[in-house]
C-alpha cells in the first residue's frame, strides 16, 4: 500500500505533470470509484489544475474554483501515468478512472486499483481534512509542530500495542503496515509493546525513528517516476516483507506474525530480546 513517502512522491510527480493543465475528461470505469454523487465527476472538466496536495495517504488535486479530485489508493491501488492514452474509452476492469489533460493532449492520469484494492475515494468540494470519510488525524508526523512532546502526549493514554497505534490513521497520518514495521525495527522495539508504557527515553527513541524513517524514505523516493515507486519502496525496506531473510543489522532471521488481513515482520534479536512473538495463525493451527 502506498504510504506517506510514496504519496508524497506521487504528489510531487503530479505537481510537475498536472499543474497548469486543463482537465478535459474524467472517465469512471468502476462504479466504486465514486464516493460522492454531488458534484458529479463531470464538474472537473474544463478546470485547470492549480495544485496537488497530500493529506496523510490522500492525494488531492485542486482545480481553479472547481471541485477537488481526492483519491485514496487503499491497499493495492496505484496511479499510472500514460504519455499517450488509447484513442477509445477505457474498458471496465482496466482501472477505476482516467483523466486526460489539456486540449487534444492524450497524456493523462489513471488511478489504478489492483487485486482487491478499493477505488479512489471520489471527488469532493472541500479538502479531505473536512470531508466525509476523511476524519482529520490528531498528528501529522512530519509537521513542524509535531515535536517530541506532542508525540509523548499522543501516546500517553494509548492502551494499544505500538504496531496498532502507529498504523491508526486517526492518530498519526500516513504510516501504514510497512513503515510501522520499519520504524519499530529502527527503534529496536517490540510491535506488541504497549504505547502508554514508554519511558521518556523510549519515547525519544521511537520519535527519532519515526521521523528519520519517513524522511529517509521520502528522500529515496524523490524524483522517482510514478511507475517505479513501488519497486523503490520495496528495495528500501529492511524487515517488512522479508520473512526468512537475515536482519541487515544483526543477521538474525526475520520473523512474521500473521493476522486475518495482514502480517507484520520483525527481528527477534533487535526488537524482542531474542524471543519470537506468538503467531496467532500458527497457534490456531496447533490447537
Amino acid at each position: 500500500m502506498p504510504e506517506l513517502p510514496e504519496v508524497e512522491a506521487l504528489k510531487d510527480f503530479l505537481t510537475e505533470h498536472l499543474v497548469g493543465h486543463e482537465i478535459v475528461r474524467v472517465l469512471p470505469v468502476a462504479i466504486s470509484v465514486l464516493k460522492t454523487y454531488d458534484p458529479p465527476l463531470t464538474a472537473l472538466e474544463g478546470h485547470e489544475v492549480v495544485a496537488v496536495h497530500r493529506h496523510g495517504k490522500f492525494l488531492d488535486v485542486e482545480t481553479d474554483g472547481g471541485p477537488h479530485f481526492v483519491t485514496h489508493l487503499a491497499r493495492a491501488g496505484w496511479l499510472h501515468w500514460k504519455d499517450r492514452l488509447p484513442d477509445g474509452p477505457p474498458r471496465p476492469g482496466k482501472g477505476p478512472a482516467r483523466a486526460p489533460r489539456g486540449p487534444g493532449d492524450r497524456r493523462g492520469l489513471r488511478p489504478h486499483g489492483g487485486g482487491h484494492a478499493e477505488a479512489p475515494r471520489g471527488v469532493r468540494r472541500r479538502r479531505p481534512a473536512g470531508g466525509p470519510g476523511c476524519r482529520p488525524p490528531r498528528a501529522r508526523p512530519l509537521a513542524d509542530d509535531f515535536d517530541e512532546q506532542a508525540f509523548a502526549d499522543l501516546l500517553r493514554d494509548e492502551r494499544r500495542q505500538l504496531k496498532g497505534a502507529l498504523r491508526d490513521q486517526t492518530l498519526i497520518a500516513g504510516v501504514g503496515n510497512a513503515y510501522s514495521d520499519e520504524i519499530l525495527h529502527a527503534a529496536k522495539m517490540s510491535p506488541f509493546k504497549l504505547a502508554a508504557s514508554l519511558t521518556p527515553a523510549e519515547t525519544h527513541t521511537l520519535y527519532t525513528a519515526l521521523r528519520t524513517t519517513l524522511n529517509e524514505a521520502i528522500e529515496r523516493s524523490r524524483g522517482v517516476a510514478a511507475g517505479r515507486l513501488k519497486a523503490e519502496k520495496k528495495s528500501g525496506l529492511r524487515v517488512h516483507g522479508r520473512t526468512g531473510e537475515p536482519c541487515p543489522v544483526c543477521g538474525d532471521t526475520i520473523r512474521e506474525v500473521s493476522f486475518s488481513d495482514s502480517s507484520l515482520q520483525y527481528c527477534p534479536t533487535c526488537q524482542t530480546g531474542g524471543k519470537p512473538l506468538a503467531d496467532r495463525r500458527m497457534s490456531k493451527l496447533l490447537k
Side-chain angles (χ1 to χ4, degrees):
M1 175 183 189
E3 299 177 40
L4 186 155
E6 294 77 49
V7 180
E8 181 72 14
L10 287 171
K11 181 208 75 174
D12 291 343
F13 179 88
L14 294 179
T15 296
E16 178 182 352
H17 289 78
L18 283 184
V19 170
H21 292 274
E22 177 189 342
I23 298 174
V24 177
R25 283 187 301 163
V26 183
L27 304 173
V29 179
I31 188 65
S32 57
V33 69
L34 295 177
K35 302 300 182 183
T36 62
Y37 64 89
D38 184 28
L41 196 56
T42 54
L44 286 162
E45 296 175 1
H47 286 283
E48 180 181 318
V49 176
V50 296
V52 181
H53 311 279
R54 178 186 62 79
H55 311 282
K57 296 181 185 179
F58 287 87
L59 274 172
D60 171 10
V61 178
E62 181 181 356
T63 63
D64 57 346
H68 288 241
F69 183 66
V70 180
T71 69
H72 188 291
L73 299 173
R75 175 165 289 180
W78 202 251
L79 293 179
H80 288 215
W81 177 267
K82 302 293 183 180
D83 284 332
R84 179 174 176 80
L85 292 175
D87 293 330
R91 291 178 294 169
K94 295 298 183 181
R98 190 171 79 184
R101 68 175 193 179
D105 194 340
R106 298 300 302 163
R107 290 176 289 182
L109 167 70
R110 289 183 64 189
H112 177 77
H116 56 285
E118 296 177 10
R121 296 195 176 180
V123 183
R124 307 183 188 279
R125 287 197 183 276
R126 54 190 178 274
R127 297 193 179 190
C134 306
R135 179 182 171 186
R138 290 169 59 190
R140 293 175 171 81
L142 298 183
D144 292 339
D145 60 354
F146 186 63
D147 57 16
E148 189 173 323
Q149 184 58 54
F151 185 56
D153 294 342
L154 195 69
L155 297 183
R156 182 174 295 115
D157 298 322
E158 281 295 323
R159 301 297 174 182
R160 289 179 290 176
Q161 296 167 344
L162 285 174
K163 174 72 176 181
L166 289 174
R167 289 185 61 188
D168 185 350
Q169 298 305 293
T170 65
L171 191 70
I172 302 175
V175 179
N177 198 31
Y179 286 112
S180 57
D181 283 351
E182 297 298 299
I183 291 164
L184 290 167
H185 179 258
K188 299 185 181 298
M189 291 184 186
S190 169
F192 289 176
K193 186 176 181 65
L194 294 180
S197 70
L198 296 184
T199 65
E202 289 172 331
T203 300
H204 171 77
T205 298
L206 186 59
Y207 174 79
T208 301
L210 170 70
R211 303 268 288 201
T212 300
T213 299
L214 294 178
N215 277 315
E216 288 179 350
I218 289 173
E219 287 305 311
R220 289 196 306 270
S221 300
R222 198 177 301 280
V224 176
R228 293 172 44 218
L229 280 169
K230 279 187 177 180
E232 198 294 316
K233 175 182 180 179
K234 185 175 181 180
S235 69
L237 299 176
R238 297 189 295 178
V239 290
H240 183 79
R242 301 194 180 278
T243 303
E245 298 181 20
C247 170
V249 175
C250 71
D252 194 2
T253 300
I254 294 171
R255 305 291 186 97
E256 177 177 308
V257 176
S258 297
F259 304 94
S260 60
D261 61 349
S262 64
S263 63
L264 65 82
Q265 286 79 43
Y266 69 100
C267 170
T269 295
C270 290
Q271 295 176 253
T272 61
K275 179 181 177 181
L277 298 173
D279 188 330
R280 290 170 172 78
R281 181 182 61 176
M282 293 304 298
S283 298
K284 291 179 180 179
L285 291 174
L286 292 173
K287 285 183 179 179

